[in-house]
Amino acid sequence: MVFQGQHILSIDQLDREAVERILQVADLMHPYVAREKSCRVLDGAVLANMFFEPSTRTRISFGTAFNLLGGHVRETVGMSTSSLAKGESLYDTAQVLSTYADVVAMRHPQAGSVAEFAAGSKIPVINGGDGPNEHPTQALLDIYTIFNELNRIQKGTENLRIAMMGDLKNGRTVHSLTQLLCVFPNIDFTFVAPNALAMPDKVLAVCDKHNHRVTITESLEDGLQGQDVVYQTRIQEERFETQREADLYRGKYRLNQSLYEKLCDPNTIIMHPLPRDSRPEANELSNDMNDNPNLAIFRQAYFGVKVRMALFALVLGVEDKLSQYEAPVSWHSNKL
């Protein structure tokens, strides 16, 4: 895949070689994310960070990634504060912003909306999540996390066993991660969810196409045993027609330290795309796991900055120029 000047809209664009190239460039970003060095390779470049759906980590992660490469960030947050509220089309918005910025990161509540925007854009557009459809950068940072976590516990990446549980119907993170993992060989997937929130058939079809093993169960006990990775998700209440419907499923698949010790292998990696719902009626990933060394949820968020830096460097064609724009960090930092 040639990255320079390209949109990053869908998992379908990425084969194994492309994924490995992104992860390779992400490794190069460590000195800047750890504040060991600064980099100004994108000095003067502008990111239009357009988030029309609530976000904390993804929005700030994109902005931080661009800043750490020396670029400038301009943001639009929420539909009501944009001209879309006045009836402007995504195409027209894209045409205008293409003259203001060098790259766009975008999140929108409607499936296919980011691709619609990209059709009118003269500059690269990176999909930060389009409704329940896709979240390609999350899938990339999740794979980066999985590989790093397996390396941490001195385990290989071959024959990966991963369980995904919770709201698999509406969770775009698990849709994208499953499809992206399929470019690697010998994956054993276990999908744990109530029937009404099961993984969509179109995602299962991708697993089948690549001859991966798939187990579907409603049982938490069956689903957690023998896994290398457990990927927990929250109930996507914003995707339900009513709060009452969402409440039928909240708290159904809770994971706490006691269950972890009872059902999981000793070094099972625990992941979650965040935010985790810590309210008592939900609490799908208990706070009593915070001291578990295999809880990787905050390392996931940290790795996300590296991966998004890699994507910006690749689509703007500067991935081989980083060292030319390095400088020592002049401020105090406790970053690791």
Side-chain angles (χ1 to χ4, degrees), residues 137-156:
T137 66
Q138 180 72 45
L140 286 163
L141 75 88
D142 286 341
I143 287 181
Y144 188 79
T145 302
I146 290 169
F147 288 179
N148 275 270
E149 290 295 302
L150 290 172
N151 182 65
R152 178 182 62 82
I153 61 175
Q154 299 181 328
K155 211 170 194 177

Side-chain angles (χ1 to χ4, degrees), residues 50 52 76-90 92-94 96-97 100 108:
M50 303 179 62
F52 299 115
T76 292
V77 179
M79 200 81 73
S80 62
T81 60
S82 78
S83 290
L84 295 177
K86 302 175 183 178
E88 184 174 53
S89 69
L90 288 170
D92 285 3
T93 304
V96 173
L97 288 181
Y100 295 165
H108 195 283

Side-chain angles (χ1 to χ4, degrees), residues 84-326:
L84 295 177
K86 302 175 183 178
E88 184 174 53
S89 69
L90 288 170
Y91 178 89
D92 285 3
T93 304
Q95 285 283 308
V96 173
L97 288 181
S98 295
T99 67
Y100 295 165
D102 299 283
V103 63
V104 172
M106 183 176 175
R107 171 173 287 185
H108 195 283
Q110 295 178 356
S113 54
V114 180
E116 181 182 348
F117 178 92
S121 176
K122 302 179 181 70
I123 59 177
V125 177
I126 300 177
N127 186 355
D130 58 330
N133 186 33
E134 288 205 51
H135 199 346
T137 66
Q138 180 72 45
L140 286 163
L141 75 88
D142 286 341
I143 287 181
Y144 188 79
T145 302
I146 290 169
F147 288 179
N148 275 270
E149 290 295 302
L150 290 172
N151 182 65
R152 178 182 62 82
I153 61 175
Q154 299 181 328
K155 211 170 194 177
T157 59
E158 301 82 15
N159 302 309
L160 175 69
R161 299 165 299 168
I162 181 169
M164 302 185 192
M165 65 182 192
D167 187 354
L168 306 185
K169 174 184 177 181
N170 298 301
R172 60 192 171 201
T173 59
V174 289
H175 301 168
S176 291
L177 176 57
T178 300
Q179 293 176 85
L180 195 58
L181 278 172
C182 282
V183 305
F184 295 91
N186 301 319
I187 308 292
D188 193 333
F189 292 103
T190 300
F191 298 125
V192 187
N195 285 334
L197 301 181
M199 186 67 84
D201 288 342
K202 68 176 184 178
V203 179
L204 297 177
V206 177
C207 298
D208 185 60
K209 176 183 176 182
H210 289 84
N211 298 313
H212 294 302
R213 298 170 296 280
V214 173
T215 301
I216 298 173
T217 181
E218 292 189 79
S219 169
L220 188 65
E221 288 75 15
D222 293 342
L224 290 179
Q225 296 185 49
Q227 305 295 339
D228 298 312
V229 178
V230 171
Y231 195 102
Q232 173 69 291
T233 65
R234 68 180 177 88
I235 299 300
Q236 304 277 306
E237 57 186 271
E238 65 272 24
R239 311 289 180 207
F240 288 80
E241 291 187 6
T242 67
Q243 183 64 52
R244 184 176 180 180
E245 184 184 359
D247 288 343
L248 293 174
Y249 303 104
R250 294 179 76 195
K252 294 292 185 183
Y253 291 97
R254 295 180 178 179
L255 181 58
N256 56 33
Q257 185 60 27
S258 176
L259 275 175
Y260 180 90
E261 293 172 357
K262 178 183 176 182
L263 300 174
C264 296
D265 290 352
N267 278 323
T268 298
I269 299 156
I270 304 300
M271 297 174 62
H272 190 299
L274 299 179
R276 58 174 166 171
D277 190 341
S278 297
R279 290 171 287 188
E281 63 271 23
N283 200 27
E284 78 272 358
L285 191 54
S286 177
N287 290 335
D288 72 1
M289 296 194 67
N290 286 353
D291 293 329
N292 187 320
N294 297 308
L295 184 74
I297 61 176
F298 301 120
R299 293 190 288 275
Q300 267 178 277
Y302 174 78
F303 290 145
V305 176
K306 291 186 181 183
V307 169
R308 291 176 176 122
M309 289 175 74
L311 288 171
F312 285 135
L314 285 161
V315 300
L316 294 177
V318 297
E319 72 276 11
D320 295 325
K321 303 175 183 177
L322 301 172
S323 61
Q324 300 173 37
Y325 294 86
E326 288 180 351

Side-chain angles (χ1 to χ4, degrees), residues 32-33 35 38-40 63-71 305 309:
Y32 318 128
V33 178
R35 309 303 197 269
S38 65
C39 183
R40 307 295 300 176
T64 298
F66 207 74
N67 286 150
L68 287 175
L69 291 172
V305 176
M309 289 175 74

